[in-house]
Each structure stands twice: as structure tokens, then as C-alpha cells.
Amino acid sequence: DVKVTQSSRYLVKRTGEKVFLECVQDMDHENMFWYRQDPGLGLRLIYFSYDVKMKEKGDIPEGYSVSREKKERFSLILESASTNQTSMYLCASSFKRRGGYNEQFFGPGTRLTVL
Amino acid sequence: KNEVEQSPQNLTAQEGEFITINCSYSVGISALHWLQQHPGGGIVSLFMLSSGKKKHGRLIATINIQEKHSSLHITASHPRDSAVYICAVENYGGSQGNLIFGKGTKLSVKP
């Protein structure tokens, strides 16, 4: 059974704290993605990675950084959490585009609250 | 203007009703995805299609490439179909398999 796991389902942090969200996939996927999901705005791409140590900015990278040191693991870092980063964070992974469909597999999400 | 538009945003139906959710897009695509998100967050893929029609059980997805439009139909709806349904497109020529998402349609099926 394919799996994308995220380190926490719920997280509460204080303004200014450094926050790490971790995502692990067991499908040997090249691509990994971090999204945030807010009511009325849908899924928005923060960063993605198409290979180890490679990263590209998505639509809303400000205030976030990422790390991909191993193929199966993609970390999202909030350097100094702010209240406007309170959101649901979803990780996904997929094979690199190779024709046909490019299905993304999603983790269960982390609901982050920044006080 | 969003590149992927869904309608309606919210939908309430009675058990047994036939349901249609619409998705229009403005970019050239290589494929369109329908995803389902239940309360609690997890997202699963329902369909991936680039032409015609696909059917899984009570769910049917259609796409008209010329009109840049797709529909998701649910026949004989059931309360367990209550979820957010998300349309997403793979932009033709886009980088590395990124998806462009619609904002979702929240479906509630009452018993």
C-alpha cells in the first residue's frame, strides 16, 4: 500500500518559533510537493522538489524554506512562524512526468495553528 | 481569473439524487484530475483523464477538450459521498507534473 506520511496531524506553535514539518514517502517518487490549504483558496503550492537537493518555488514561497537531503523525505521549514501561516499543510509525491498521467499521492495533512 | 474554475462551490443534495460538479479551465492541458477530500484532510485521486469518459462504480467523469470543460457525476448519491471534490489540471508543457487546482466543491448529502 503506497504511503505518504507527515510528522504530525496537529501542531500548535507560538509566533516567532521555528517550525519543521516533515514528509516521507515510500514509493521511490522523484517529485515531492508542499501545499497549504485555506478555506476559499484551495490548494496552493509552496515549494516542490524534483530530485534530491533540488527545489523550486511554487506560488507562495515567502516565509518558507524546504530541504530534501534524501529522496524519500521532504521537509518544510517556517523560519519564524507567524499567525498568517496558520493553515492545513499537505505534502504530496509523484513520479517525474514520463508521459501518461501524473498522479500525486497525498499525505494526511498537518493542521498548524500559530498563536 | 483563476485558471481552473469549479461550480458550484457548495452543494447540498438528498440521498439518491444525481449530482453534477463542473470544472472549466483556461490553459492547455495534458490531463485532468478529479480528487476527493473527506473531512480530516486526506486527498485521494478519483479519476485522471485526457479525453472522453471514465466510470468507477457510481462515479462518472467526462471531459470535453474543445470546450475546456469537465464534469463529475455521482449517481444514486449517499451520505458517505459527502466530501470536497477538487478538479486539477496538468498544464501541457508545465514543469515536472505540477497540478493547477480548482478551489473545490463541498458536497453534503443528507439522508
Side-chain angles (χ1 to χ4, degrees):
Chain A
D1 203 17
V2 297
K3 268 243 172 78
V4 180
T5 57
Q6 294 183 227
S7 47
S8 307
R9 290 302 306 273
Y10 300 93
L11 208 51
V12 180
K13 295 290 182 181
R14 298 220 170 263
T15 301
E17 279 193 78
K18 191 168 185 175
V19 182
F20 291 88
L21 302 181
E22 198 158 72
C23 175
V24 178
Q25 51 95 4
D26 65 359
M27 294 165 280
D28 203 34
H29 285 164
E30 295 92 355
N31 294 343
M32 295 188 75
F33 306 85
W34 274 108
Y35 300 98
R36 66 176 281 177
Q37 186 180 33
D38 300 288
L41 297 178
L43 282 154
R44 293 181 291 167
L45 181 64
I46 304 171
Y47 268 98
F48 71 97
S49 169
Y50 52 88
D51 205 345
V52 175
K53 297 193 186 294
M54 306 303 288
K55 61 185 179 185
E56 285 201 25
K57 292 180 181 178
D59 301 318
I60 50 164
E62 297 79 18
Y64 303 95
S65 62
V66 290
S67 173
R68 187 139 181 231
E69 296 297 317
K70 293 185 177 182
K71 190 176 185 179
E72 67 271 18
R73 197 176 295 266
F74 192 34
S75 300
L76 180 70
I77 303 146
L78 288 65
E79 295 290 341
S80 178
S82 63
T83 54
N84 63 13
Q85 292 179 309
T86 292
S87 187
M88 170 71 93
Y89 290 87
L90 287 148
C91 174
S93 69
S94 73
F95 287 114
K96 204 169 264 192
R97 181 193 287 272
R98 50 182 72 164
Y101 303 121
N102 216 60
E103 182 177 3
Q104 289 190 15
F105 294 85
F106 287 82
T110 296
R111 189 165 292 282
L112 173 67
T113 302
V114 182
L115 302 174
Chain B
K1 187 182 186 297
N2 295 324
E3 292 167 304
V4 180
E5 298 269 9
Q6 285 185 239
S7 63
Q9 279 189 298
N10 293 284
L11 182 56
T12 300
Q14 287 299 127
E15 184 173 356
E17 284 185 5
F18 180 85
I19 288 161
T20 296
I21 299 170
N22 295 300
C23 176
S24 296
Y25 53 91
S26 58
V27 295
I29 70 167
S30 55
L32 183 140
H33 299 238
W34 280 103
L35 308 166
Q36 181 190 57
Q37 184 176 30
H38 277 289
I43 295 175
V44 296
S45 177
L46 296 174
F47 294 103
M48 294 172 284
L49 66 168
S50 55
S51 65
K53 178 175 165 177
K54 286 193 174 181
K55 184 174 189 287
H56 288 154
R58 296 180 294 106
L59 273 59
I60 303 165
T62 64
I63 188 168
N64 184 319
I65 295 293
Q66 287 73 32
E67 294 185 4
K68 295 189 173 180
H69 182 268
S70 175
S71 293
L72 177 69
H73 305 287
I74 305 175
T75 62
S77 60
H78 191 276
R80 65 174 175 267
D81 297 324
S82 298
V84 175
Y85 292 85
I86 302 167
C87 172
V89 301
E90 291 184 45
N91 193 357
Y92 184 80
S95 64
Q96 304 293 347
N98 290 9
L99 297 177
I100 306 171
F101 295 88
K103 293 181 180 179
T105 295
K106 186 174 182 180
L107 171 65
S108 178
V109 181
K110 306 290 186 191

